[in-house]
Amino acid sequence: MQQVAAKCDPAPSRWAYRLERLMLTPLFRLFLRIILPFMVVFSIAAIWLSDEARRDRLSGFVHEARVSIETRPEFMVNVMAIDGASVSIAEDIREIIPIDFPLSSFDLELEHIQEQVAGLPAVASATVRVRPGGILQITITERDPVLVWRSRDGLFLVDQEGFVVASAKSRAAHADLPLVAGAGAELAVQEARALFAAAQPIKARVRGLVRVGERRWDVVLNNGQRIFLPVDGAVQALERVIALNDAQDLLARDLTVVDMRLSDRPTLRIAERSVEEWWRIRRLQVGNTEE
Amino acid sequence: MMELYESQRAMRNMRKAAMQRGVVAILDVGSSKIACLVLRFDGTERLAEVEGIGSMAGQSGFRVIGAATTRSRGVRFGEVSAMQETERAIRTVVQAAQKMAKIRVDHVIACFSGASPRSYGLAGSIDLEGRVVNEQDVARVLASCDMPDYGDGREVLHAQPVNFALDHRTGLSDPRGQMGQELATDMHMLTVDAIAIQNLAHCVKRCDLELAGIASSSYVSALSALVEDEQELGAACVDLGGGTTGVSIFMKKHMIYADAVRMGGDHVTSDISMGLQVPTAMAERIKTFYGGVYATGMDDREMIELESDTGDWEHDRRRVSRAELIGIMRPRVEEVLEEVRSLLDAAGFEYLPSQKIVLTGGGSQIPGLDGLASKILGQQVRLGRPLRVHGLPQAATGPGFASAVGMCLFATRPQDEWWDFDLPVERYPVRSIKRAVRWFKENW
């Protein structure tokens, strides 16, 4: 049908036209841009990983890379530094945290270490961190013992909150700390300290405090004298006794017990020998010479 | 008749679907160029509410996002003459427009100018059963129009109700809801050769596109070239195309007549080609650059080189004056306008209250054409350019794109056509049931 020399105007072929229309279809473009590349990548990865040996190699490679990063010197911890602890506690800490240095900081479980250190009886609080320079820094605040407590199980050191800090070898090793005794004495440390503070004027004579029935205190003096203190107002009662002592030299007399348990009726117990002596003198005065 | 009704309804539904989707392509299949515009609709529901044409002439809701033209091939006198070539041309232009729009279009609304359109005026009337005119009554009165025998092998392209009359009140544009006894209508029907429609539809189909509507080029170019008052008061639009010259007459915003002269700019070109012994492409170029219809003394001195490379020195260096060119062009242009004049006379254009004539189309760009046309057609002649629509490239705003732009308006705000109304109840096979229902309604 074409004329011999007629030159056709350019026109897209049927297939080029259809392809272009297809490429202009939004859904198809979405498919081509997102879904198809995703599927291709996914299928390549799946095929490659379907081999056991390749999987092992991949995981080995990943592990190696991980290890090589973790063991870089920047991440290594070489030294443990303990601040704020006395020598014995520091030794305790080193004992309960057995870490072989050098160690990667990725392998350190700081929270666990912190829990362990804070769990020590002598430690009030602890912070654990890795300091630059590869130092495991443990900063602790110790509990300070304020009393020596003698119980049935032995001698112990007690801090002001009533925590048993450590056991003491002997009373003489902690001569500067006051002594308390009796069951439940460690639970009333604050009161005990107040009593010791009030007993400052007779400090030289005070041997210690005894907790009686886990409710009240006895002050024990050096020659076996005792001051029974009431449950409530123990400090005031003790102050009264000291005031009496100042005025009348009460404690220098031959008393065994000053009983302040009933505040409106203080009672004195005189030593038996003195009572007998007192009776003898009474008889002499009366003129009764039976002996 | 029913087949066409169904196919036109199917096309209308497809057009609705395309507008729902938001993208539709306009295809102007002309004899000298094929143009394709891609329209994007923004708010169709807003458009539907507006009554009448509105301040933006119904073009507020769409935007041209792709435009392309290509030299037409395989189309002669506005009809498809070589199917493959036309298909290739449509493919080229649709692809280019799609590329510019960056979106795929599936629905296309096409227009063509040829296929010997013929206008019929139909009249019909019915007695109203209910007092108030409803949708069904409109459908019935449209169906009651007496169909002329328009011949085998022709199809109805447009069938638009132009006027409704209720009892003795005429000039109603929408009789629905009004009271009356007798409803009459005037309908304008445009028939074209069925073969031409089928060929075009086949070409479009072979390009993997869906035909969502079809229109006559002379109708749609008038939509874009006539301003609102011209459409209202009465005017004729002469679309001087390449292969055909379309004529349409508008009155009260309705087309009341359309026809086409099977002569156009290509004939002028071929006259030049024959008269000056130059190839067609060169004749076209000379016509475009130096063409005119009025010769002055200056034109005798303006010489046009007719270069060619036959090897003959004398032949390759011929020169003609512009006056000679005008001498060749003018008789043909006059002939075209005379034909238009006779068409207008046959249509009774001189009885219209306003006799405005608007020249548009690529051929209207000949310098001095308005002067010549006013001598032949009448005093009220003007050159019309298409309406400006959103996003139309500057290159596509010339009068040659009047029908393409008109198609945009046609696509967004189509005239109510006969097939837009439901089939009247009587046409249904279930008519007896419907009658029973109606009897029930009336008596209970």
Side-chain angles (χ1 to χ4, degrees):
Chain A
M1 289 290 179
Q2 292 284 340
Q3 290 93 338
V4 182
K7 202 174 74 182
C8 285
D9 284 343
S13 72
R14 232 173 133 72
W15 285 107
Y17 172 75
R18 279 184 183 163
L19 183 70
E20 172 131 1
R21 276 171 67 78
L22 190 65
M23 295 302 283
L24 284 171
T25 312
L27 212 63
F28 184 77
R29 287 166 74 93
L30 182 78
F31 173 78
L32 217 60
R33 276 177 45 218
I34 295 163
I35 300 171
L36 189 69
F38 176 77
M39 275 166 59
V40 166
V41 168
F42 184 81
S43 58
I44 286 174
I47 289 166
W48 195 80
L49 285 175
S50 63
D51 190 4
E52 178 81 41
R54 285 188 193 138
R55 272 209 301 275
D56 288 348
R57 219 160 59 215
L58 183 68
S59 63
F61 176 74
V62 169
H63 182 73
E64 262 175 37
R66 192 187 159 84
V67 166
S68 76
I69 291 170
E70 282 179 358
T71 55
R72 286 177 73 86
E74 290 85 349
F75 294 122
M76 295 306 283
V77 175
N78 299 313
V79 184
M80 176 156 67
I82 299 172
D83 275 4
S86 59
V87 177
S88 61
I89 292 172
E91 273 170 12
D92 285 352
I93 289 170
R94 284 182 203 283
E95 200 170 300
I96 61 167
I97 307 168
I99 298 176
D100 301 332
F101 293 109
L103 183 70
S104 168
S105 58
F106 287 96
D107 297 335
L108 281 175
E109 290 177 36
L110 292 182
E111 282 185 17
H112 183 231
I113 293 172
Q114 200 267 340
E115 270 172 31
Q116 272 192 318
V117 171
L120 282 176
V123 173
S125 67
T127 56
V128 177
R129 65 186 187 94
V130 175
R131 236 169 54 187
I135 299 168
L136 177 63
Q137 174 76 44
I138 301 177
T139 309
I140 62 175
T141 43
E142 267 187 61
R143 295 182 190 281
D144 289 331
V146 294
L147 291 177
V148 180
W149 173 42
R150 187 190 298 279
S151 74
R152 283 183 198 285
D153 304 327
L155 272 176
F156 297 101
L157 297 175
V158 178
D159 80 338
Q160 59 181 344
E161 281 147 31
F163 281 101
V164 175
V165 176
S167 64
K169 291 197 186 68
S170 67
R171 175 71 180 97
H174 302 282
D176 55 328
L177 299 181
L179 178 75
V180 294
E186 85 276 18
L187 302 175
V189 176
Q190 294 297 335
E191 201 181 9
R193 293 190 75 193
L195 286 173
F196 278 118
Q200 275 299 318
I202 52 168
K203 186 186 174 192
R205 297 197 54 196
V206 173
R207 293 284 296 274
L209 296 177
V210 177
R211 189 74 169 165
V212 180
E214 297 191 20
R215 59 189 174 87
R216 63 175 200 86
W217 293 102
D218 278 3
V219 182
V220 179
L221 302 181
N222 53 359
N223 51 2
Q225 287 177 334
R226 282 183 169 240
I227 303 169
F228 293 1
L229 296 176
V231 177
D232 299 319
V235 176
Q236 285 86 343
L238 184 59
E239 280 167 354
R240 278 178 72 189
V241 172
I242 290 166
L244 266 177
N245 184 37
D246 286 348
Q248 303 188 355
D249 262 351
L250 179 71
L251 297 177
R253 294 161 193 266
D254 196 8
L255 303 174
T256 51
V257 170
V258 180
D259 188 347
M260 299 298 289
R261 285 178 291 182
L262 297 173
S263 57
D264 49 350
R265 198 181 62 185
T267 312
L268 305 179
R269 186 190 297 166
I270 305 168
E272 197 176 351
R273 183 172 34 97
S274 298
V275 172
E276 285 172 7
E277 184 70 12
W278 170 245
W279 287 341
R280 197 182 59 81
I281 292 167
R282 286 273 302 268
R283 274 197 305 273
L284 283 180
Q285 281 177 342
V286 173
N288 225 355
T289 51
E290 285 174 5
E291 282 181 63
Chain B
M1 196 64 211
M2 285 296 285
E3 278 171 38
L4 176 88
Y5 186 89
E6 290 303 328
S7 71
Q8 288 277 14
R9 268 182 90 88
M11 274 200 259
R12 193 47 73 91
N13 286 335
M14 216 171 283
R15 190 185 65 81
K16 270 184 190 153
M19 287 180 75
Q20 286 277 325
R21 225 187 207 193
V23 177
V24 70
I26 297 299
L27 199 63
D28 173 19
V29 184
S31 320
S32 62
K33 70 160 182 359
I34 295 185
C36 178
L37 304 180
V38 179
L39 302 189
R40 193 186 63 209
F41 296 102
D42 301 323
T44 48
E45 68 286 333
R46 193 156 44 88
L47 280 175
E49 287 168 15
V50 181
E51 283 297 323
I53 285 183
S55 57
M56 291 294 285
Q59 49 153 325
S60 55
F62 71 90
R63 189 180 174 83
V64 178
I65 54 170
T69 52
T70 187
R71 199 184 77 161
S72 177
R73 49 261 204 194
V75 182
R76 295 182 68 217
F77 303 116
E79 300 160 25
V80 177
S81 67
M83 205 78 125
Q84 306 291 333
E85 285 297 298
T86 313
E87 186 201 328
R88 279 159 57 88
I90 292 176
R91 229 156 48 199
T92 312
V93 73
V94 168
Q95 187 174 28
Q98 277 184 154
K99 201 167 189 171
M100 180 173 164
K102 294 198 188 69
I103 197 162
R104 173 193 173 137
V105 285
D106 289 324
H107 298 91
V108 64
I109 301 178
C111 79
F112 62 97
S113 53
S116 54
R118 211 171 293 159
S119 273
Y120 297 89
L122 312 182
S125 71
I126 53 159
D127 288 329
L128 291 175
E129 285 155 1
R131 291 307 195 140
V132 178
V133 180
N134 58 22
E135 198 98 11
Q136 269 299 318
D137 294 324
V138 176
R140 275 171 55 228
V141 75
L142 291 178
S144 74
C145 290
D146 45 345
M147 277 297 151
D149 179 22
Y150 49 75
D152 290 336
R154 288 185 72 80
E155 270 199 47
V156 179
L157 192 60
H158 294 288
Q160 297 159 341
V162 173
N163 180 34
F164 288 101
L166 199 54
D167 293 342
H168 297 293
R169 292 183 297 132
T170 184
L172 305 175
S173 62
D174 187 359
R176 280 175 297 174
Q178 302 198 42
M179 312 267 277
Q181 296 286 341
E182 188 190 3
L183 180 66
T185 187
D186 298 313
M187 193 153 76
H188 173 245
M189 187 169 81
L190 192 70
T191 64
V192 292
D193 285 338
I195 302 294
I197 293 186
Q198 281 163 13
N199 285 347
L200 183 64
H202 188 67
C203 280
V204 168
K205 198 186 174 94
R206 280 188 48 95
C207 294
D208 304 333
L209 298 166
E210 300 268 10
L211 197 61
I214 198 157
S216 163
S217 157
S218 40
Y219 170 51
V220 291
S221 58
L223 280 184
S224 73
L226 297 186
V227 296
E228 200 175 342
D229 59 328
E230 286 168 347
Q231 287 184 14
E232 176 69 34
L233 298 173
C237 176
V238 179
D239 181 5
L240 291 149
T244 54
T245 297
V247 179
S248 61
I249 301 175
F250 265 65
M251 182 78 190
K252 291 191 183 244
K253 289 184 181 151
H254 291 289
M255 177 172 69
I256 55 172
Y257 177 80
D259 208 335
V261 180
R262 285 166 77 82
M263 260 189 291
D266 286 351
H267 295 85
V268 180
T269 307
S270 68
D271 282 354
I272 296 168
S273 172
M274 283 189 274
L276 300 181
Q277 297 289 317
V278 290
T280 317
M282 186 167 185
E284 179 74 32
R285 187 171 161 277
I286 289 172
K287 181 184 82 172
T288 318
F289 278 135
Y290 307 104
V293 284
Y294 276 107
T296 58
M298 180 68 186
D299 292 331
D300 285 330
R301 295 193 294 279
E302 187 175 348
M303 300 305 283
I304 304 166
E305 301 281 343
L306 302 178
E307 292 173 7
S308 60
D309 51 354
T310 55
D312 184 344
W313 198 89
E314 292 291 341
H315 185 266
D316 287 356
R317 276 159 193 76
R318 284 176 300 147
R319 303 170 83 201
V320 293
S321 66
R322 187 163 177 237
E324 279 178 85
L325 177 68
I326 288 169
I328 293 169
M329 283 176 71
R330 182 170 170 145
R332 181 61 87 166
V333 175
E334 274 178 347
E335 188 188 356
V336 171
L337 292 176
E338 291 286 356
E339 286 290 328
V340 169
R341 173 82 244 167
S342 67
L343 284 184
L344 290 178
D345 284 347
F349 183 64
E350 66 262 38
Y351 303 114
L352 251 59
S354 159
Q355 295 180 12
K356 193 92 181 172
I357 290 171
V358 177
L359 300 176
T360 186
S364 70
Q365 296 172 97
I366 303 172
L369 181 72
D370 47 346
L372 184 63
S374 62
K375 278 190 179 162
I376 296 169
L377 299 176
Q379 282 305 309
Q380 302 180 35
V381 172
R382 75 169 179 97
L383 295 178
R385 294 171 70 84
L387 218 71
R388 299 198 67 99
V389 293
H390 293 259
L392 195 69
Q394 185 62 40
T397 52
F401 289 85
S403 56
V405 173
M407 286 288 285
C408 299
L409 306 180
F410 174 76
T412 36
R413 281 200 58 76
Q415 178 96 40
D416 276 344
E417 304 242 14
W418 178 59
W419 36 81
D420 289 331
F421 294 94
D422 288 331
L423 265 182
V425 173
E426 284 79 7
R427 292 282 179 97
Y428 283 115
V430 288
R431 133 181 84 179
S432 52
I433 299 172
K434 293 265 181 176
R435 272 203 179 152
V437 169
R438 201 169 69 215
W439 181 83
F440 246 79
K441 271 188 183 166
E442 282 169 2
N443 292 282
W444 294 85

